[in-house]
Amino acid sequence: MDHRQQRVERHRIELDGPATRFVDRFLIGNGTLGAALDGVPGREGMDLSLDTLWSGGPRRPGDGPAGRSLPSPLESVRRAIADGDPVAADVRSAALRGTTFTESFQPLGRLTIDYASPDSGSRSTRTSDLARGVVETTSASGGEAVTLHAFVSAVDDVLVVELLGDGVREPRVGFATPHPSRTEERTVGDTRWWSATGRAPASVRPSYLGGDDDEAIRYPTDVPDADGLVDTGMAWALSIAVQPIPGGFRLVAGARSGHRGWRDRPLGDPSTLLEHARATVSSALQRSGEALLHRHVADHRSLFDRVDLDLSASASASADLAERYFDLGRALLIGSSRPGTEPANLQGVWNDQVRPPWSANFTTNINLQMNYWPAESTGLGDLVEPLTRFIGELVDAGQRTAGESYGLDGAAAHHNSDLWRHTDAVPLDAHWANWPSALPWLVAHLHRRLDDGGADHAARVAVLQAVEPVVSFVLGMVVTDAAGSLVVSPSTSPENRFVVDTDHTAAVTAGVAMDQELAHECLREYLALAERVGDGIADVGLLARARDTVATLRLPQVGRDGTLLEWAEEREPTEPGHRHLSHLYGLYPGTRITESATPEQFEAARRALRRRLANGGGGTGWSMAWVLCLAARLRDPGLASEALDTLLGPMSSASLLDLHPMGDLDDVFQIDGNLGGTAGVVELLVQGHGGVLSLLPTLPAEWSAGRFRGFRVRGGHVADVEWSRHRPVAATLLLTAGGVLVELPDDGSMITITGPGGALPTRLEDGAPAGRRRIGLDEPGVHRLEFARPPGDPED
């Protein structure tokens, strides 16, 4: 039987034998420090990473392209588009690009711990306890039991490894880093100390550019100035202590990087960093192992336990696997994004390569956004703080890009960024680089945070001020086309191209579906927020322009064959099965396209997705996670099951980490598929937008019975639901406001409603799609719904 099909205790992943690839390891972290564990019995190996350890340094004024002279390159590109010459538009768009690439997220190094004599004849088991944030390896050494358990504490800011059992010997510790470094070892009383210090690369060429010459990875040769600062190549320090404890040994490790802020020169002298790391470890050593574990578990569970999904009643191996996948996604977000840290990057906070895939950067044309799709719905909204801060800093950095590259007011950012808040288009082909719509997509999450309620006036004002430069740039990108429609120009569909003629393809045009959706959503949300904060705060001129534009902005069109168009006109894509599903943004993660309000576009989106998949779409983990979310919105349980089978099968490693196929190369881990898949699981069970709270909208056939607790939808409403035989049994809804339409399966069951003041009548409302019914709930507060089959209704 496949190891992932075995029934195990809830919230746990159990595997026999160690990981032989990075993608099969168990991951633990506290948002700052990440560790990826092999689980080799007797000789643990773990790759360590720090969220702020990156190559390069801040981009200061003067580092980027010089100020551009008029006429702006933007107007030249727009003329080519208006003249119907997309090939020329592609060529001219090179003038809108910058000259540099993002820098790369760096590994700290590999820690090894020899703690027992391996017994090749013994069997080992490794377990990831997702609810507690603890990884454990159990084995035997010479017939004697040996246990290793490890966690990374956010409370005490350290990695803790305990080695227990009669077969444990005094551990030998090793640390290997790919960076030039210095090491030191000393003994103080019964505690042995190791330290390693070094500097990150001054620059790293992205791995997708190939080449392994001397310039691919360039280390600094300069000496820090009198303040210990450098332009590039920050310092780092690692401190490790090992001490005996009853029944074994304990290792505690802490690390620091020289990062001081995205605008600030980093520390290049590691001495102060090592002092801080040692002090952190020393403080942790003052606590017992039980105390450190208790503090960590209490902190981790305070987040993890906010929601629960239990599919065990389905008695289905695939449902059990989906439940663990959901738990893993939340544990990964808890481990890679905490208030005060960097946002989760392409690999969260885990990396073992100096040149990781796509630099392990913040890829902003889907992947960074997808990382945070499940945050609000699964009770982890406070873990979005790093993303919120990142967006504000990207807006600051992007004002220079908007002015110098486009000659426009406001702020612009393109398809990827890094620790130093890179915002220019990278010097690649247009279908990769020329997409300046990252910020309109990112600020959508700021609005979602406010939608969930609890935000005070000051918080709304802060979001308004952060959004206004983005709105200003969006308005500057909109022009009137030959048909009199308002369209974004220039415009591309991320990473896709279209056929121009038998000899040419192109990417740059006007009015692409995703850009039109993003512009419409950005302006609409801005106007709604300005109304909420009241008069005298929003920019009056900007408000007027936004109102005029959003009212007449061209929305995505339906083609002759009934599919939602990716571009403004009927165009043949060069890749009919492209992994990006950008033209379906309005269906998910957007909310404009719904089954009830826009039925024609809803059906057109369904056809467009089916066409993509029929041509091989969804070929990466994150792409299939997006398919899952779209299937949930389309109320297509069959497609949802297919997407889940792919995500949990070929797109997952043994440890359920998301995989990105790399052709002839080994698959690589990308965290976005795990997190996007987690969001998709929620969407299958509860949705809430457009004033409708929908329960069990897309229940897969394999999930015949189960329950969930604490799921949140837009508006801050919270839902607990139990179902059996694919029918709801009971639901508890905490409504933050009245006037909510609750949508339910139209299965003929009788509903008993108890509201805040007692029993309520079941009031059916119009507008439900086929197979569904709606009831109206007028008051905020807790509502209990119980479902009973009518007399004489046959059993399933």
Side-chain angles (χ1 to χ4, degrees):
M1 179 182 290
D2 181 72
H3 58 269
R4 291 179 297 173
Q5 297 300 315
Q6 300 173 12
R7 181 67 187 157
V8 298
E9 185 179 340
R10 295 191 63 227
H11 311 312
R12 294 163 68 92
I13 301 175
E14 293 183 3
L15 298 174
D16 294 334
T20 58
R21 306 179 299 166
F22 184 86
V23 296
D24 294 324
R25 295 175 187 168
F26 286 151
L27 309 182
I28 51 176
N30 64 359
T32 297
L33 177 63
L37 284 76
D38 293 340
V40 176
R43 190 177 193 275
E44 181 60 77
M46 58 183 76
D47 287 287
L48 304 181
S49 306
L50 275 173
D51 68 323
T52 54
L53 187 62
W54 289 64
S55 60
R59 296 175 174 86
R60 300 184 306 282
D63 286 345
R68 303 186 188 277
S69 58
L70 294 175
S72 165
L74 176 63
E75 295 309 317
S76 175
V77 177
R78 283 175 167 171
R79 282 197 300 274
I81 294 169
D83 291 343
D85 191 348
V87 175
D90 265 27
V91 172
R92 296 179 190 180
S93 68
L96 298 172
R97 299 196 280 271
T99 59
T100 59
F101 293 90
T102 62
E103 290 294 342
S104 295
F105 179 49
Q106 291 298 295
L108 190 61
R110 183 166 177 78
L111 174 66
T112 55
I113 310 168
D114 282 293
Y115 62 95
S117 299
D119 185 342
S120 59
S122 68
R123 181 176 179 180
S124 66
T125 300
R126 55 192 178 106
T127 303
S128 179
D129 188 331
L130 304 171
R132 298 167 72 240
V134 177
V135 166
E136 183 175 276
T137 299
T138 57
S139 59
S141 176
E144 297 176 313
V146 175
T147 299
L148 173 150
H149 70 255
F151 56 90
V152 184
S153 170
V155 181
D156 292 294
D157 199 18
V158 288
L159 164 70
V160 179
V161 182
E162 288 202 345
L163 313 163
L164 302 169
D166 294 337
V168 170
R169 68 189 182 197
E170 185 174 2
R172 294 194 302 271
V173 175
F175 181 73
T177 177
H179 314 304
S181 62
R182 296 179 59 183
T183 59
E184 178 186 336
E185 182 178 347
R186 61 193 176 104
T187 300
V188 180
D190 65 353
T191 304
R192 289 183 297 140
W193 289 84
W194 287 263
S195 66
T197 57
R199 286 178 65 181
S203 65
V204 172
R205 180 189 302 151
S207 59
Y208 53 77
L209 295 179
D212 196 23
D213 52 63
D214 292 341
E215 293 299 308
I217 304 170
R218 187 169 56 82
Y219 280 95
T221 58
D222 60 329
V223 176
D225 65 17
D227 296 318
L229 305 180
V230 292
D231 291 336
T232 59
M234 70 174 71
W236 56 266
L238 171 69
S239 179
I240 303 169
V242 174
Q243 62 181 193
I245 58 174
F249 294 87
R250 175 173 61 164
L251 178 148
V252 178
R256 292 288 185 276
S257 83
H259 181 245
R260 299 171 57 245
W262 69 278
R263 282 184 167 131
D264 300 320
R265 298 174 70 212
L267 279 169
D269 181 355
S271 57
T272 302
L273 302 176
L274 184 56
E275 289 178 11
H276 286 311
R278 281 175 175 161
T280 300
V281 173
S282 295
S283 178
L285 292 175
Q286 302 307 306
R287 302 183 187 277
S288 68
E290 292 81 1
L292 288 172
L293 179 61
H294 174 78
R295 285 160 60 84
H296 160 71
V297 171
D299 169 71
H300 182 87
R301 296 206 77 134
S302 72
L303 297 165
F304 188 88
D305 289 347
R306 292 177 182 179
V307 308
D308 187 45
L309 170 64
D310 184 354
L311 298 175
S312 57
S314 293
S316 160
S318 61
D320 290 344
L321 195 59
E323 180 187 318
R324 293 205 297 281
Y325 191 81
F326 171 83
D327 290 338
L328 174 63
R330 298 185 69 249
L332 290 174
L333 187 57
I334 292 169
S336 60
S337 185
R338 292 291 192 105
T341 72
E342 286 297 298
N345 63 47
L346 276 175
Q347 295 179 191
V349 69
W350 299 279
N351 174 37
D352 66 341
Q353 299 181 53
V354 176
R355 298 179 73 190
W358 301 283
S359 304
N361 64 20
F362 304 113
T363 305
T364 50
N365 65 8
I366 174 60
N367 313 88
L368 176 60
Q369 292 90 336
M370 183 178 282
N371 282 355
Y372 289 90
W373 282 358
E376 311 296 339
S377 59
T378 69
L380 299 178
D382 39 352
L383 302 190
V384 179
E385 187 275 340
L387 178 67
T388 300
R389 182 166 22 89
F390 174 87
I391 294 169
E393 292 167 354
L394 212 63
V395 169
D396 286 348
Q399 294 185 50
R400 186 163 180 256
T401 294
E404 292 195 358
S405 295
Y406 293 87
L408 297 176
D409 293 332
H414 293 78
H415 90 287
N416 56 21
S417 188
D418 58 14
L419 183 72
W420 313 109
R421 307 317 185 227
H422 182 105
T423 56
D424 287 345
V426 297
L428 289 174
D429 189 79
H431 73 292
W432 302 102
N434 287 96
W435 183 77
S437 297
L439 284 170
W441 191 342
L442 284 166
V443 298
H445 206 116
L446 301 183
H447 293 296
R448 171 70 198 271
R449 290 288 290 145
L450 296 180
D451 281 349
D452 276 1
D456 58 18
H457 181 72
R460 295 189 185 102
V461 171
V463 171
L464 182 80
Q465 292 171 343
V467 167
E468 285 199 328
V470 182
V471 170
S472 181
F473 181 76
V474 166
L475 292 171
M477 289 292 288
V478 172
V479 301
T480 303
D481 67 8
S485 299
L486 293 182
V487 294
V488 175
S489 179
S491 179
T492 63
S493 192
E495 303 186 21
N496 207 358
R497 300 177 66 84
F498 55 85
V499 175
V500 177
D501 53 41
T502 54
D503 298 317
H504 300 93
T505 65
V508 179
T509 180
V512 169
M514 170 172 262
D515 281 341
Q516 297 299 114
E517 291 280 13
L518 288 172
H520 184 269
E521 180 183 70
C522 183
L523 299 180
R524 184 189 69 222
E525 295 285 0
Y526 167 65
L527 291 170
L529 179 57
E531 185 175 350
R532 290 180 71 186
V533 300
D535 295 337
I537 297 176
D539 183 307
V540 175
L542 199 65
L543 278 175
R545 293 172 60 202
R547 286 193 193 97
D548 290 344
T549 301
V550 77
T552 52
L553 193 70
R554 186 180 194 264
L555 290 171
Q557 303 293 298
V558 176
R560 290 188 297 271
D561 61 356
T563 62
L564 196 68
L565 296 181
E566 185 167 358
W567 292 277
E569 306 89 23
E570 305 264 2
R571 294 190 181 276
E572 179 187 351
T574 56
E575 294 182 63
H578 199 272
R579 60 198 169 277
H580 282 257
L581 301 161
S582 306
H583 53 317
L584 305 182
Y585 179 94
L587 179 64
Y588 188 94
T591 60
R592 187 187 65 82
I593 298 176
T594 67
E595 189 171 8
S596 299
T598 57
E600 181 187 9
Q601 292 210 335
F602 183 84
E603 183 57 33
R606 183 193 304 277
R607 293 187 178 206
L609 178 59
R610 284 293 184 181
R611 170 173 292 183
R612 202 69 133 206
L613 295 175
N615 286 280
T620 67
W622 63 260
S623 181
M624 189 54 66
W626 200 349
V627 172
L628 176 63
C629 294
L630 291 164
R633 289 281 173 92
L634 289 168
R635 289 204 298 123
D636 189 335
L639 178 57
S641 292
E642 292 174 19
L644 284 167
D645 288 346
T646 303
L647 274 177
L648 300 174
M651 294 299 177
S652 283
S653 71
S655 56
L656 293 184
L657 296 183
D658 172 74
L659 298 179
H660 190 295
M662 297 290 286
D664 295 334
L665 302 177
D666 291 338
D667 295 343
V668 300
F669 164 56
Q670 277 194 205
I671 197 172
D672 40 36
N674 284 106
L675 298 175
T678 299
V681 168
V682 176
E683 289 287 325
L684 297 175
L685 298 172
V686 62
Q687 298 174 20
H689 49 273
V692 178
L693 197 167
S694 182
L695 305 181
L696 305 182
T698 317
L699 198 60
E702 301 85 354
W703 300 4
S704 60
R707 65 178 67 198
F708 63 82
R709 170 183 54 80
F711 285 7
R712 302 173 67 91
V713 300
R714 292 171 187 264
H717 311 306
V718 182
D720 304 346
V721 176
E722 179 182 357
W723 71 97
S724 179
R725 295 174 177 163
H726 298 97
R727 296 171 179 248
V729 172
T732 300
L733 309 178
L734 172 58
L735 305 182
T736 60
V740 175
L741 295 175
V742 178
E743 193 173 277
L744 305 157
D746 190 8
D747 58 6
S749 60
M750 298 183 296
I751 308 172
T752 302
I753 306 174
T754 305
L760 294 174
T762 301
R763 191 180 77 240
L764 294 177
E765 301 282 355
D766 295 332
R772 307 285 284 173
R773 54 180 166 169
R774 287 178 177 177
I775 61 174
L777 298 178
D778 296 330
E779 301 177 58
V782 176
H783 294 72
R784 174 77 176 173
L785 282 64
E786 295 184 359
F787 302 85
R789 296 185 181 186
D793 189 47
E795 295 287 328
D796 290 339

